[in-house]
Amino acid sequence: MKPAPVPDVPLAGRYGRFGGRYVPEILIGALHALERALDEHLHTSAFQAELEAERKSWVGRPTPLTRAARLGERYGCELWLKREDLAHTGAHKINNALGQALLAKRMGKRRVIAETGAGQHGVATAAACARLGLACRVYMGAVDVERQALNVQRMQLFGAEVVPVHALDATLRAAIDEALRDWSGDPEGTYYLLGSVVGPHPYPALVRELQAVIGREARAQMLEAAGALPDAALACVGGGSNAIGLFAGFRDDAAVELLGVEAGGRGTEAGAHGATLSFGRPGVLHGAYSYLLQDERGQVHETHSISAGLDYPGVGPEHAYLKESGRARYIAASDDEALAALRECCALEGILPALESAHALAGARRHAAEHPGARVLVCCSGRGDKDLGILAAAGGAR
Ligand SMILES: *Cc1c(COP(=O)(O)O)cnc(C)c1O
């Protein structure tokens, strides 16, 4: 007799009232299998040893903590940067892609699929799959394939098949639909490698665990280099994975203020920003109950941000919980503030941050104005080489 399916525990994967698992019936089995695989592998010493060895020798961890003295002086605070821009492939996304690819291999999956907007998650996934000898297919909106030709080239060099999606608006949302369709067709053999702390349980918990290395390292590095914990820890929030990873290190330190910085875009009206927690309402998007940008009838809004990584109408459910519980606070930085912060960081520190990360710097500037002299830690989630075209269009190296 076949064993009865594991019952879906209603409270599994909840962050307060947020999170959960809102997916078509056909995917429930695959999500249960993933949950079982986490129980079976994630915390074994063999898995952790392999993950640790790859982090050290291939990703380049621990990433440094850098004192940004000149930028801090400009802001009026003691500023520290956690340098995820120095991780392999240029951003924190590799922490997650590597961990999940290792898991896919342990689960005996034949192939890995992913979806990507700007291509950063696709590049990280393709690199991890190349490293581990896994077949990889990346869905990408046809518009994004055009806009992000360099990242498409990198994915292809790593052996991934990049599939342009022409449906809907031919951007990230269309790519997600297509990836889910693919996964529904072969939930047994295919591993769906999700890129942020979003989606149905257990993804937000899994991605959080893999990104928590950021906060763990940063906490120890602050104690060693600064001799104290920061007064505030800031990170940009798209789906929310680099922020959750940083916050994880300081959640139990009640004196450390946690600040998430969303994409304020061009203004506060619908469609002009990507600031989900600042302007959104609770609802279901991409498999989880969280905040999202929607109109009165539940229609999901278009979003805008100068940084592709923050241009998303949803956010991870744990952030919705952190907001409502008051443990973390969320603010928005505009396109112009992010551009200015990027340029200042380049000119004063010799560091070119991603436009996403520049939102967190803009948040730090505002925090310092309210708390002069504060000790502030910012997650520099990625490097900005990918943004040079956008910078040129926005007025060059002013
Ligand atoms: C993708 C990306 C982000 C946004 O993703 P989160 O899940 O919110 O961290 C931020 N910074 C960089 C550099 C990115 O590539």
Side-chain angles (χ1 to χ4, degrees):
M1 211 175 74
K2 254 177 45 184
V6 182
D8 200 3
V9 183
L11 293 180
R14 289 284 175 176
Y15 303 89
R17 64 193 175 115
F18 299 106
R21 184 146 51 194
Y22 299 84
V23 296
E25 193 57 33
I26 192 164
L27 292 179
I28 291 285
L31 291 170
H32 282 306
L34 178 58
E35 227 181 329
R36 282 195 300 273
L38 299 190
D39 285 344
E40 199 178 323
H41 299 297
L42 197 57
H43 299 114
T44 62
S45 49
F47 185 89
Q48 288 296 323
E50 190 177 8
L51 179 60
E52 193 49 44
E54 288 296 286
R55 275 176 176 162
K56 191 169 174 198
S57 74
W58 186 66
V59 174
R61 303 208 72 89
T63 57
L65 177 78
T66 302
R67 172 83 193 263
R70 278 160 50 80
L71 189 58
E73 193 181 336
R74 177 70 59 88
Y75 288 3
C77 68
E78 180 188 324
L79 183 63
W80 298 84
L81 304 178
K82 178 60 175 162
R83 301 292 305 282
E84 293 303 293
D85 57 312
L86 294 178
H88 181 45
T89 67
H92 68 292
K93 290 209 167 69
I94 197 71
N95 304 325
N96 172 49
L98 169 66
Q100 287 199 57
L102 282 169
L103 196 64
K105 198 165 180 186
R106 298 250 165 178
M107 290 171 78
K109 297 288 183 177
R110 286 187 294 277
R111 66 198 276 269
V112 168
I113 60 167
E115 94 291 306
T116 193
Q120 296 300 107
H121 172 58
V123 168
T125 301
C129 286
R131 173 82 177 160
L132 300 178
L134 289 161
C136 177
R137 171 185 277 190
V138 179
Y139 290 100
M140 195 168 179
V143 169
D144 291 332
V145 169
E146 291 292 320
R147 284 195 293 212
Q148 307 289 342
L150 271 179
N151 275 340
V152 172
Q153 206 181 343
R154 291 165 84 194
M155 286 183 254
Q156 288 168 340
L157 279 169
F158 292 143
E161 179 194 1
V162 180
V163 179
V165 181
H166 297 274
L168 300 172
D169 56 353
T171 63
L172 180 62
R173 273 158 73 195
I176 293 176
D177 285 351
E178 205 52 42
L180 283 172
R181 193 163 308 136
D182 179 321
W183 198 30
S184 311
D186 177 30
E188 298 281 302
T190 296
Y191 186 93
Y192 183 19
L193 205 159
L194 244 172
S196 191
V197 284
V198 298
H201 178 67
Y203 281 107
L206 169 58
V207 178
R208 169 197 215 278
E209 173 144 350
L210 293 170
Q211 293 291 5
V213 67
I214 301 174
R216 208 160 46 234
E217 286 177 7
R219 189 179 193 280
Q221 289 168 322
M222 282 299 298
L223 288 175
E224 197 194 321
L229 293 177
D231 298 313
L234 288 94
C236 64
V237 177
S241 67
N242 86 93
I244 283 290
L246 183 75
F247 292 177
F250 302 96
R251 259 187 82 160
D252 297 335
D253 301 306
V256 180
E257 185 174 2
L258 305 178
L259 262 172
V261 187
E262 298 188 301
R266 292 190 275 253
T268 57
E269 65 276 19
H273 60 81
T276 309
L277 289 161
S278 304
F279 301 114
R281 288 183 294 119
V284 170
L285 181 69
H286 298 141
Y289 184 66
S290 183
Y291 271 57
L292 66 129
L293 293 168
Q294 56 182 335
D295 65 19
E296 296 69 35
R297 287 164 301 141
Q299 198 68 30
V300 178
H301 283 151
E302 294 294 308
T303 52
H304 162 80
S305 172
I306 194 163
S307 63
L310 306 186
D311 199 349
Y312 179 64
V315 68
E318 190 175 355
H319 283 295
Y321 175 71
L322 288 173
K323 173 192 164 78
E324 292 206 344
S325 69
R327 178 63 189 93
R329 224 158 38 85
Y330 297 86
I331 58 176
S334 70
D335 287 355
D336 287 344
E337 287 177 287
L339 278 167
L342 181 147
R343 293 199 168 103
E344 260 180 347
C345 187
C346 287
L348 296 176
E349 297 295 341
I351 295 170
L352 168 55
L355 270 169
E356 290 85 354
S357 321
H359 284 72
L361 288 170
R365 153 160 257 180
R366 225 186 288 161
H367 182 82
E370 292 160 16
H371 306 273
R375 188 178 303 112
V376 178
L377 170 64
V378 170
C379 185
C380 185
S381 55
R383 67 174 183 233
D385 306 57
K386 68 184 179 57
D387 297 320
L388 289 175
I390 296 167
L391 286 177
R398 257 184 303 149

